[in-house]
Amino acid sequence: MASLTQRSSGLVQRRTEASRSAAADKERGAGGGSEDEGRRDEPGDDEKGDSKETRLTLMEEVLLLGLKDREGYTSFWNDCISSGLRGCMLIELALRGRLQLEACGMRRKSLLTRKSSVLGNCPSTVSLYLSTFLLITILTETKTQCFLATKKKINPILAKTRTQVICKSDAPTGDVLLDEALKHIRETQPPETVQNWIELLSGETWNPLKLHYQLRNVRERLAKNLVEKGVLTTEKQNFLLFDMTTHPLTNNNIKQRLIKKVQEAVLDKWVNDPHRMDKRLLALVYLAHASDVLENAFAPLLDEQYDLATKRVRQLLDLDPEVECMKANTNEVLWAVVAAFTK
């Protein structure tokens, strides 16, 4: 049968059963396509776990690897994680486009001789405070750097001329610790080196004029961030003479995913080329080793897998950061931090 339908323009359109069935098939096809697209857009089980609430910074990942699950605190014998977390901050700021190394001149400097600072809103002159105590600062800093160089078996001349960090942008990151570190770097003139910033942010300086650079209670503040993200909880434990706030693990899935990610980076998904690895994952492997927590990720492995994983980590550690930073699509701050911990 045929029927007449009125168009909005006033014309009459003749519709038959065939045309109506064709239109119905078209509508069903469009509906099915949207359902398929909806299914494709739905995140998988792994992606659902990586929501905004559970995305961790480099500092939080390294701390999570170092925390004991039930006890909720790091090993008392670990004296490396403090400086490791400061290195994480510098790389995190670099990955977010806030920091870079100073530009190379006609005579190329090594990674440990180029300084870092902030480009945005930098003061053009040295403040009165620094100019007043300039002589004291130079004398104290020289003695401190020579002592640290002797302590860490570093050439004192090399310790004096390290890579300067330049701040590309002073826009807030949304993370309190990162913004605090960025503020210090932005307001410091002349710029400091990567090695110096790791020491200053850790409080490892004998210069009383630079003690204010130290970031305090970093582990506790990072643990509170993980509590807000639902990864840890807060408890108080009594240790005979004192009470200590601890943060036991509550969401084991997130930590297991983190451990699996580190293991796969050097096992199943090993690419034998650091420049083909994800920069954040590469930094995580390096800084987890520098913080002495990488062993916690490899502990569940079988003996053969453990030997293979440690062998490949050793391959990464044996790379020359000076050579790697000159290759295409590299992050110089990342390799400068690696050089600070491996050289």
Side-chain angles (χ1 to χ4, degrees):
M1 293 179 64
S3 62
L4 299 178
T5 58
Q6 186 74 21
R7 281 186 176 179
S8 60
S9 61
L11 299 178
V12 177
Q13 181 186 15
R14 182 181 180 86
R15 300 188 64 181
T16 61
E17 291 293 333
S19 63
R20 281 195 290 270
S21 62
D25 293 340
K26 185 177 180 180
E27 292 176 0
R28 284 195 295 270
S34 61
E35 290 179 1
D36 294 339
E37 291 177 359
R39 292 192 189 97
R40 285 195 298 268
D41 293 339
E42 288 181 0
D45 294 338
D46 295 337
E47 294 177 357
K48 287 179 181 178
D50 294 332
S51 61
K52 290 183 179 179
E53 290 76 20
T54 55
R55 288 176 183 171
L56 308 180
T57 63
L58 274 176
M59 303 90 70
E60 293 167 350
E61 289 179 332
V62 169
L63 179 65
L64 188 57
L65 287 175
L67 281 176
K68 300 180 180 180
D69 295 352
R70 294 183 180 180
E71 291 83 353
Y73 52 83
T74 57
S75 173
F76 291 117
W77 310 109
N78 189 341
D79 58 351
C80 305
I81 193 170
S82 178
S83 58
L85 291 175
R86 273 66 175 186
C88 289
M89 293 180 189
L90 296 179
I91 294 181
E92 185 74 36
L93 287 170
L95 293 177
R96 297 191 184 197
R98 301 302 194 278
L99 298 181
Q100 69 178 20
L101 296 186
E102 65 174 351
C104 295
M106 295 296 293
R107 182 179 179 181
R108 181 176 178 83
K109 298 180 180 179
S110 67
L111 277 176
L112 295 180
T113 60
R114 292 158 59 193
K115 295 187 179 180
S116 59
S117 66
V118 180
L119 293 181
N121 298 333
C122 290
S124 58
T125 60
V126 180
S127 64
L128 179 61
Y129 174 82
L130 290 178
S131 60
T132 305
F133 296 97
L134 182 60
L135 182 59
I136 300 176
T137 302
I138 292 176
L139 294 175
T140 310
E141 184 176 327
T142 303
K143 293 180 180 179
T144 303
Q145 287 177 340
C146 290
F147 171 79
L148 291 175
T150 305
K151 179 181 177 182
K152 297 185 178 182
K153 298 180 181 180
I154 299 175
N155 188 335
I157 300 177
L158 182 62
K160 181 64 179 177
T161 57
R162 299 236 169 132
T163 313
Q164 292 180 324
V165 183
I166 297 176
C167 181
K168 295 171 61 177
S169 170
D170 57 356
T173 63
D175 186 282
V176 177
L177 278 172
L178 293 179
D179 289 341
E180 188 175 343
L182 186 62
K183 180 175 180 291
H184 286 315
I185 297 173
R186 184 183 68 243
E187 296 178 350
T188 300
Q189 291 296 320
E192 294 286 353
T193 64
V194 169
Q195 178 76 39
N196 286 348
W197 274 121
I198 293 175
E199 294 170 353
L200 290 174
L201 296 176
S202 304
E204 297 178 0
T205 176
W206 283 15
N207 188 343
L209 301 179
K210 294 186 176 182
L211 289 176
H212 65 282
Y213 288 125
Q214 181 182 5
L215 299 181
R216 302 181 183 277
N217 303 321
V218 169
R219 272 177 272 189
E220 180 65 23
R221 293 159 73 179
L222 289 174
K224 288 182 178 178
N225 290 345
L226 292 172
V227 171
E228 293 177 358
K229 295 179 180 181
V231 183
L232 306 177
T233 187
T234 302
E235 294 181 357
K236 280 202 173 183
Q237 291 190 15
N238 181 270
F239 289 88
L240 297 178
L241 300 178
F242 60 93
D243 292 334
M244 187 176 76
T245 302
T246 60
H247 300 279
L249 184 68
T250 57
N251 192 335
N252 191 50
N253 293 333
I254 294 178
K255 183 166 185 178
Q256 290 305 315
R257 276 202 302 270
L258 175 61
I259 292 176
K260 182 180 178 182
K261 180 172 69 172
V262 175
Q263 292 175 352
E264 289 181 343
V266 293
L267 290 175
D268 299 338
K269 297 182 180 180
W270 174 250
V271 293
N272 200 27
D273 183 3
H275 300 282
R276 293 170 55 193
M277 294 179 63
D278 177 71
K279 290 183 177 63
R280 184 174 292 273
L281 183 56
L282 178 65
L284 176 60
V285 173
Y286 271 117
L287 291 171
H289 179 272
S291 303
D292 199 17
V293 299
L294 188 60
E295 184 71 20
N296 298 342
F298 292 165
L301 295 175
L302 300 176
D303 291 343
E304 294 181 358
Q305 293 177 322
Y306 178 86
D307 293 339
L308 181 59
T310 53
K311 178 183 177 181
R312 287 172 174 172
V313 170
R314 176 51 55 187
Q315 292 179 19
L316 292 176
L317 296 174
D318 290 340
L319 294 175
D320 186 358
E322 300 288 349
V323 176
E324 301 301 325
C325 75
M326 297 178 64
K327 298 181 180 179
N329 299 323
T330 60
N331 189 302
E332 289 185 326
V333 176
L334 188 157
W335 289 108
V337 173
V338 171
F341 283 110
T342 57
K343 284 194 173 184

